[in-house]
């Protein structure tokens, strides 16, 4: 994984040695990461190998145990949406214990994150949290807050009243139009009656 990051960032000669050393310390040093683990959060679970032993003769043949992988939609509060991700059941328990996918990714150090996907999501979430930390938040005393709330309520009431008046004007206009057409029809009927007589 370190070699892939170096290839993406640039060769070792172009970047300072201390920077490359810090990147190397951040990334996991495990050499064996199965291919499908790169597309999810596996929390250190890998394919295990062993023997299948027959009951009769004790004959041994090689077999594997694959991790229990589920595809889940986990809600990320920082992104304010669901993230569809493949996770092992062990990772799900770790996520529940941490208090959500965001907290799990923030608490897990880079060198324990075995997968590229996990490292990418962790970097995204850290960046978004740092942007949130830089935002300014204003708090108002309770009196001002109640005045602001009252102003919003008055604006909503004015909007409702404006809608009501617009509906009444529209109803009156349609009533006048239908009344005028009714007057025209009665006048035509009266003139027809006068012609017949």
């Amino acid at each position: 994984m370190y070699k892939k990051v170096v290839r993406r960032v640039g060769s070792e000669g172009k970047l300072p040695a201390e920077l490359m050393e810090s990147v190397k310390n951040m990334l996991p040093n495990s050499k064996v990461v199965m291919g499908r683990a790169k597309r999810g959060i596996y929390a250190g679970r890998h394919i295990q190998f062993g023997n299948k032993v027959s009951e009769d003769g004790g004959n041994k043949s090689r077999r594997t145990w694959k991790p229990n992988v589920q595809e889940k939609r986990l809600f990320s509060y920082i992104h304010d949406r669901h993230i569809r991700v493949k996770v092992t059941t062990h990772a799900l328990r770790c996520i529940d214990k941490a208090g959500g996918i965001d907290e799990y990714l923030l608490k897990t150090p880079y060198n324990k994150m075995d997968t590229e996907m996990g490292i990418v999501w962790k970097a995204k979430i850290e960046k978004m949290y740092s942007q949130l930390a830089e935002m300014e938040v204003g708090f108002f005393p309770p009196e001002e807050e109640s005045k602001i709330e009252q102003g919003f309520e008055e604006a909503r009431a004015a909007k409702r009243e404006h809608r009501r008046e617009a509906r009444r004007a529209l109803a009156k206009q349609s009533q006048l139009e239908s009344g005028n057409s009714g007057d025209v029809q009665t006048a035509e009927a009266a003139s027809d009656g006068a012609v017949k007589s």
Side-chain angles (χ1 to χ4, degrees), residues 12 54 60 80 99 120 184 191:
E12 289 189 40
S54 66
K60 294 177 181 175
D80 196 28
V120 168
V184 169
S191 64

Side-chain angles (χ1 to χ4, degrees), residues 4 22 28 40 46 53 72 75 105 131 150 165 172 177:
K4 285 184 182 179
S22 67
H46 296 287
V53 181
K72 291 285 179 184
F75 188 76
L105 290 172
Q131 288 172 353
Q150 187 178 3
E165 289 175 9
K172 193 178 276 188
E177 287 175 0

Side-chain angles (χ1 to χ4, degrees):
M1 194 177 297
Y2 172 72
K3 289 178 182 175
K4 285 184 182 179
V5 171
V6 169
R7 259 188 262 131
R8 286 184 188 172
V9 175
S11 64
E12 289 189 40
K14 293 179 184 176
L15 296 170
E18 56 271 0
L19 178 67
M20 295 311 295
E21 189 63 35
S22 67
V23 168
K24 195 170 196 174
N25 291 338
M26 276 196 216
L27 294 175
N29 56 5
S30 61
K31 293 179 183 175
V32 179
V33 175
M34 56 185 164
R36 69 181 192 153
K38 294 172 186 171
R39 298 184 296 274
I41 298 173
Y42 279 48
R45 292 296 187 253
H46 296 287
I47 298 174
Q48 293 180 331
F49 302 95
N51 291 322
K52 180 174 71 175
V53 181
S54 66
E55 289 182 10
D56 297 336
N59 302 325
K60 294 177 181 175
S61 55
R62 297 299 285 172
R63 62 156 293 182
T64 59
W65 286 268
K66 292 185 179 176
N68 185 1
V69 179
Q70 310 290 324
E71 188 169 332
K72 291 285 179 184
R73 287 173 60 235
L74 302 172
F75 188 76
S76 170
Y77 289 100
I78 190 75
H79 290 99
D80 196 28
R81 67 183 181 92
H82 283 90
I83 299 171
R84 188 174 290 278
V85 64
K86 289 184 177 181
V87 289
T88 58
T89 50
H90 174 71
L92 269 178
R93 286 184 18 241
C94 292
I95 289 167
D96 285 343
K97 187 176 180 182
I101 185 75
D102 299 336
E103 286 78 13
Y104 170 75
L105 290 172
L106 285 174
K107 288 177 184 176
T108 308
Y110 276 102
N111 58 357
K112 295 255 177 98
M113 196 72 67
D114 286 339
T115 63
E116 293 170 22
M117 182 187 172
I119 290 172
V120 168
W121 276 105
K122 181 177 172 66
K124 279 184 187 177
I125 287 174
E126 281 181 350
K127 182 181 176 187
M128 291 183 83
Y129 268 109
S130 65
Q131 288 172 353
L132 268 177
E134 292 170 2
M135 291 172 75
E136 289 186 21
V137 180
F139 294 101
F140 299 104
E143 301 86 33
E144 285 187 38
E145 204 168 306
S146 64
K147 285 179 186 175
I148 292 169
E149 186 62 38
Q150 187 178 3
F152 279 126
E153 189 59 43
E154 288 172 2
R156 280 189 221 115
K159 197 173 183 180
R160 271 187 248 128
E161 189 60 36
H162 178 69
R163 282 184 188 156
R164 263 193 220 122
E165 289 175 9
R167 280 194 215 114
R168 285 181 190 145
L170 187 65
K172 193 178 276 188
Q173 185 182 2
S174 63
Q175 192 177 23
L176 286 174
E177 287 175 0
S178 65
N180 287 344
S181 64
D183 290 344
V184 169
Q185 288 174 356
T186 54
E188 287 176 1
S191 64
D192 286 343
V195 170
K196 286 181 183 176
S197 54

